[in-house]
Amino acid sequence: MTKPLEAPQDGTVSALLEENRIFKPSDSFRSKALLQDERIYKEAEANRENFWSDQAKKLDWYQPWDKILEWKTPFAKWFLNGKLNASYNCLDRHMKTDRKNKTAIIWEGEPGEVRKLTYEDLYHETNKFANVLKSLGVRKGDRIAIYMPMIPEAAMAMLASARIGAIHTVVFGGFSPESLKDRINDAGAKLLITADGGWRRGKIIGLKDLSDEAVKACPTIENILVVKRLEDQDTQMKDGRDHWYHDLKEKVADYCEPEQMDSEDILFTLYTSGTTGKPKGIIHTTGGYMTGVTTTMKLVFDLQEDDVFWCTADVGWVTGHSYIVYGPMANGVTQIMYEGAPDWPKRDRFWSIIEKYGVTKFYTAPTAIRAFMKWGHQWPQKHDLSSLRLLGSVGEPINPEAWIWYHKHIGSEQCPIVDTWWQTETGCILITPLPGITDLKPGSATRPFPGIEAKVFKEDGTVIKEGGGYLGLTSPWPSMLRGIWGDEERYKQQYWSKWPNIYFTGDGAKIDADGYYWLLGRVDDVINIAGHRLGTMEVESALVDHTSVAESAVVGISDEIKGTAIAAFVILKDGHTAGDEMDKTLKQHVVKKIGAIARPSKIIFTEDLPKTRSGKIMRRLLRDIAEGRALGDVTTLADASILESLKEKYQEE
Ligand code: WTA
């Protein structure tokens, strides 16, 4: 389970897990696998640049590159002067093959509607969508914000944006209008694409209303394009600003010539949480990103032409970008897209979808697996899951217990599990098994993907051969982030200042005697709630934003399902009273400011917080209190008596 870690004094990190079971790929899986032996690791290691350029050649380029890599730390350029288009690679190139008539998306709405789109359908729709964007004045380099439910139009909007060379910024539909506003303003987006609404747990989420709320304070937004997803939804449309997609679609041509993009032109930005301040817009460019996601999609999921792939993420997260939109579509995969919750109307919705469509590869998050475990295996047992050939996990460390349950009750002990470690910043999967090759250890993401170089470091930058420390990446890779939108300094500071020439991931990791990597969770002030990243600072700012709050400190605490949950220590201003009412008000305020994922599970009202003599809050001690652990080193504390009273308060909760 994710646990915030503390570095012991010697600069290493203590490892939490001892797990010795080994699962080898079955003969039946291995015999059909794309990769069956270790050669690929050796070949890639012998010449990483050539390995990646061989992968890049599998994409369609208008113009080949004249140099594979230019690396001026921390700025990388891949496939220099090559020209390509991401939407062309996901759609147009399939029109020349049998994939033209292959199903691209099988979509199920939460209420149960089904839509099936072939690659040709998706191609036509995306062309029209791209022309609609042009008709609204969007041009190459412009930013488009996308705030959508999980419907095929979300993918079309992204591909259409890529087609005309605009830069999309997808904002998760569960985020609040405030969060949407901040992202739109940081990106300077001129168009917002949304829908009248979507379904979640039997309720309508009125995305257009939320959008209206957000854009009140977004001076750069010129138009809102609204996709109709619901039937009788009463949607307010502002004349001149708001447009129904289905109206504009009737007025445009069928074909839109894809823009020839430079390999290093920006494909998208995606906001994610960091240790300080507001979320940062992670920049991904076209050639390197497409190379990374297309390659990993194929090899990590051992793609076969008849696969039915299902990634349960939302397109609002990087997993949805890389393994619902760009990775699967560049590979011409048939996939499932599901709009709603796993427990709607009952707790077997996922298993019923797998059975109904014969899903072969299933990719989800540990937090979901832990929930399934808690609900019990009688739910998957009601369904025939024998179509499954491979299972995947992403978003946080998977605890061995959940791994074993997944393996047994979902995979019938027949399916390899790929535990894939990566980040918004890395663009694609970087540490992962290759399912036909790698022996699996439950809880370990195993080894770096071919062409990727990762090491475990002590605080002082020395490499640890065996043991726990911090995970760093020691050579550039094609789909690495190219920066933070509008903040080059922060990019250098955040990722490249810990050790010279090494990318700091923010994660703790252990390497064992076999060279296997065990990810141990974040070591910075980022917390991972149900696989979604949040900065403790963001939640603290949201709390302090409330008129009654003087100060707050937020820490991650262990949670059976979410992995980590939020505990907030709050000091109220004079004249405000702690209690159930205030508890509710503050939780609601955080939801309003950020979104439901940031709702604190616990609020502890206090008169004081443990601080160093220089005034820095000692979150480490708060975590000890919240986890009921013995308190660590308190010698730097200004006033140690605070701790006792806090501990008592916490236990009362
Ligand atoms: C965590 C999600 C352990 C890690 C793709 C990372 C994981 C953060 C794993 C990135 C995994 C992701 N095992 N931890 N298989 N996958 N993480 O940017 O802490 O939303 O730094 O990207 O999730 O979260 P992000």
Side-chain angles (χ1 to χ4, degrees):
M1 232 175 255
T2 322
K3 280 220 182 83
L5 294 162
E6 288 303 331
Q9 303 305 317
D10 67 350
T12 64
V13 169
S14 57
L16 299 168
L17 301 165
E18 275 309 329
E19 172 61 55
N20 301 315
R21 283 169 285 192
I22 290 182
F23 293 78
K24 291 183 176 300
S26 67
D27 289 341
S28 68
F29 187 91
R30 188 191 293 256
S31 66
K32 292 191 206 109
L34 294 179
L35 296 172
Q36 302 179 13
D37 62 54
E38 298 265 338
R39 236 175 335 175
I40 186 165
Y41 287 104
K42 296 213 178 67
E43 282 165 13
E45 208 180 323
N47 191 329
R48 260 187 289 277
E49 286 184 33
N50 282 350
F51 170 78
W52 284 118
S53 97
D54 286 346
Q55 304 308 317
K57 283 177 192 154
K58 295 174 187 162
L59 294 168
D60 283 18
W61 297 74
Y62 298 112
Q63 180 184 303
W65 54 93
D66 46 36
K67 190 176 176 196
I68 302 172
L69 169 67
E70 182 191 282
W71 178 226
K72 294 181 184 155
T73 324
F75 301 102
K77 288 183 179 164
W78 282 87
F79 313 120
L80 285 83
N81 299 316
K83 305 268 185 272
L84 78 168
N85 182 284
S87 136
Y88 182 95
N89 274 284
C90 291
L91 301 169
D92 303 45
R93 65 171 175 161
H94 305 316
M95 295 307 106
K96 298 175 229 156
T97 71
D98 291 346
R99 285 181 181 157
K100 182 174 174 180
N101 299 316
K102 184 173 171 178
T103 305
I105 297 177
I106 304 170
W107 175 81
E108 233 186 70
E110 196 186 71
E113 321 94 302
V114 177
R115 280 168 74 189
K116 289 189 184 175
L117 291 119
T118 62
Y119 271 96
E120 190 179 15
D121 296 335
L122 200 58
Y123 167 80
H124 287 308
E125 287 292 324
T126 301
N127 270 280
K128 291 214 160 215
F129 213 121
N131 281 331
V132 167
L133 299 182
K134 281 188 166 174
S135 76
L136 292 171
V138 182
R139 297 289 174 265
K140 183 177 172 184
D142 287 344
R143 273 81 61 211
I144 297 176
I146 299 177
Y147 186 57
M148 295 273 263
M150 279 294 286
I151 54 175
E153 282 75 9
M156 290 171 203
M158 292 163 74
L159 292 168
S161 166
R163 195 165 187 89
I164 64 170
I167 298 169
H168 62 69
T169 289
V170 184
V171 180
F172 172 53
F175 274 132
S176 67
E178 283 252 0
S179 297
L180 175 61
K181 176 202 78 183
D182 290 344
R183 285 157 175 77
I184 289 175
N185 287 340
D186 191 78
K190 66 196 277 193
L191 174 71
L192 170 62
I193 307 176
T194 188
D196 46 358
W199 291 95
R200 184 83 192 175
R201 267 202 191 88
K203 287 207 191 89
I204 285 176
I205 315 281
L207 291 168
K208 173 61 168 63
D209 294 343
L210 299 170
S211 298
D212 287 343
E213 180 66 31
V215 300
K216 278 184 195 155
C218 296
T220 57
I221 289 290
E222 294 167 6
N223 294 290
I224 303 183
L225 183 61
V226 189
V227 173
K228 191 158 175 50
R229 185 270 173 266
L230 301 171
E231 268 148 44
D232 309 307
Q233 176 81 342
D234 182 22
T235 306
Q236 302 296 319
M237 299 291 278
K238 187 170 162 187
D239 246 8
R241 186 196 67 181
D242 301 350
H243 317 268
W244 284 110
Y245 171 63
H246 59 261
D247 286 343
L248 298 192
K249 189 172 124 177
E250 297 309 315
K251 298 178 192 149
V252 297
D254 288 336
Y255 179 72
C256 170
E257 182 72 23
E259 196 74 35
Q260 300 199 6
M261 304 297 284
D262 188 88
S263 176
E264 282 299 325
D265 278 339
I266 299 178
L267 177 61
F268 66 84
T269 65
L270 181 61
Y271 285 79
T272 190
S273 297
T275 43
T276 50
K278 57 183 170 55
K280 43 195 180 178
I282 300 301
I283 297 173
H284 282 290
T285 56
T286 310
Y289 174 80
M290 287 302 291
T291 301
V293 298
T294 308
T295 309
T296 48
M297 178 75 211
K298 181 154 180 146
L299 300 182
V300 174
F301 298 104
D302 187 52
L303 282 189
Q304 316 272 337
E305 200 58 46
D306 58 357
D307 269 328
V308 180
F309 179 73
W310 185 15
C311 165
T312 67
D314 189 283
V315 288
W317 308 110
V318 74
T319 307
H321 284 58
S322 301
Y323 300 105
I324 293 177
V325 181
Y326 294 107
M329 294 184 187
N331 281 290
V333 173
T334 296
Q335 69 175 321
I336 306 294
M337 191 174 187
Y338 168 59
E339 179 186 35
D343 54 352
W344 193 267
K346 294 219 184 80
R347 289 174 164 180
D348 61 348
R349 185 64 181 269
F350 277 15
W351 322 127
S352 103
I353 290 175
I354 290 176
E355 178 174 29
K356 191 160 156 198
Y357 303 109
V359 171
T360 57
K361 311 273 163 80
F362 178 65
Y363 191 33
T364 195
T367 182
I369 299 167
R370 287 190 297 265
F372 303 147
M373 242 172 106
K374 195 169 173 202
W375 299 340
H377 61 258
Q378 70 276 16
W379 293 103
Q381 241 162 35
K382 287 182 208 258
H383 297 275
D384 177 4
L385 305 181
S386 60
S387 58
L388 286 171
R389 294 190 54 244
L390 174 145
L391 304 173
S393 170
V394 60
E396 52 176 317
I398 177 165
N399 35 314
E401 196 194 352
W403 195 102
I404 296 288
W405 187 91
Y406 196 30
H407 188 252
K408 182 166 175 199
H409 294 290
I410 307 305
S412 298
E413 295 177 340
Q414 299 300 308
C415 302
I417 296 179
V418 289
D419 173 3
T420 62
W421 176 89
W422 58 296
Q423 310 179 299
T424 306
E425 292 87 341
T426 70
C428 74
I429 295 168
L430 294 196
I431 301 183
T432 176
L434 289 176
I437 302 176
T438 315
D439 292 350
L440 306 173
K441 300 186 189 183
S444 168
T446 74
R447 300 167 62 177
F449 188 79
I452 299 299
E453 204 184 30
K455 292 203 167 79
V456 178
F457 294 90
K458 277 193 193 179
E459 179 73 38
D460 66 9
T462 38
V463 173
I464 297 173
K465 286 262 170 333
E466 197 187 324
Y470 304 99
L471 184 69
L473 302 168
T474 48
S475 60
W477 64 102
S479 65
M480 65 194 279
L481 76 164
R482 298 299 194 266
I484 295 175
W485 183 260
D487 202 344
E488 195 175 296
E489 229 3 82
R490 193 171 171 197
Y491 169 66
K492 292 185 194 157
Q493 192 54 38
Q494 179 101 41
Y495 304 106
W496 301 95
S497 64
K498 198 169 176 74
W499 312 297
N501 290 323
I502 294 161
Y503 171 91
F504 175 51
T505 61
D507 280 339
K510 177 183 96 163
I511 186 159
D512 71 14
D514 300 326
Y516 274 49
Y517 290 71
W518 301 76
L519 278 304
L520 303 173
R522 301 291 305 195
V523 291
D524 52 14
D525 287 330
V526 172
I527 39 182
N528 197 328
I529 312 292
H532 302 320
R533 268 166 75 169
L534 277 176
T536 49
M537 269 284 289
E538 282 173 85
V539 185
E540 287 167 9
S541 306
L543 284 163
V544 174
D545 178 77
H546 194 269
T547 46
S548 63
V549 177
E551 192 167 9
S552 85
V554 162
V555 297
I557 50 170
S558 296
D559 181 279
E560 202 188 333
I561 303 292
K562 295 180 186 167
T564 308
I566 295 173
F569 293 82
V570 168
I571 304 177
L572 293 175
K573 288 183 188 155
D574 285 348
H576 296 275
T577 328
D580 287 351
E581 200 53 38
M582 185 58 82
D583 185 88
K584 230 166 95 191
T585 307
L586 294 184
K587 284 178 180 165
Q588 204 40 48
H589 191 68
V590 175
V591 172
K592 186 177 148 248
K593 295 294 288 183
I594 305 175
I597 47 170
R599 183 199 306 273
S601 322
K602 274 189 187 166
I603 293 185
I604 300 101
F605 294 102
T606 172
E607 261 97 66
D608 228 330
L609 287 166
K611 289 184 184 165
T612 59
R613 282 175 209 112
S614 60
K616 204 170 155 0
I617 296 173
M618 295 187 74
R619 289 192 180 70
R620 174 168 63 78
L621 296 176
L622 293 175
R623 285 200 287 265
D624 288 342
I625 291 172
E627 302 271 14
R629 278 193 298 262
L631 295 176
D633 182 15
V634 294
T635 48
T636 50
L637 203 61
D639 175 5
S641 69
I642 295 164
L643 288 176
E644 275 315 309
S645 78
L646 261 180
K647 244 169 105 173
E648 269 167 35
K649 276 220 181 80
Y650 195 84
Q651 277 150 9
E652 276 167 28
E653 276 284 313

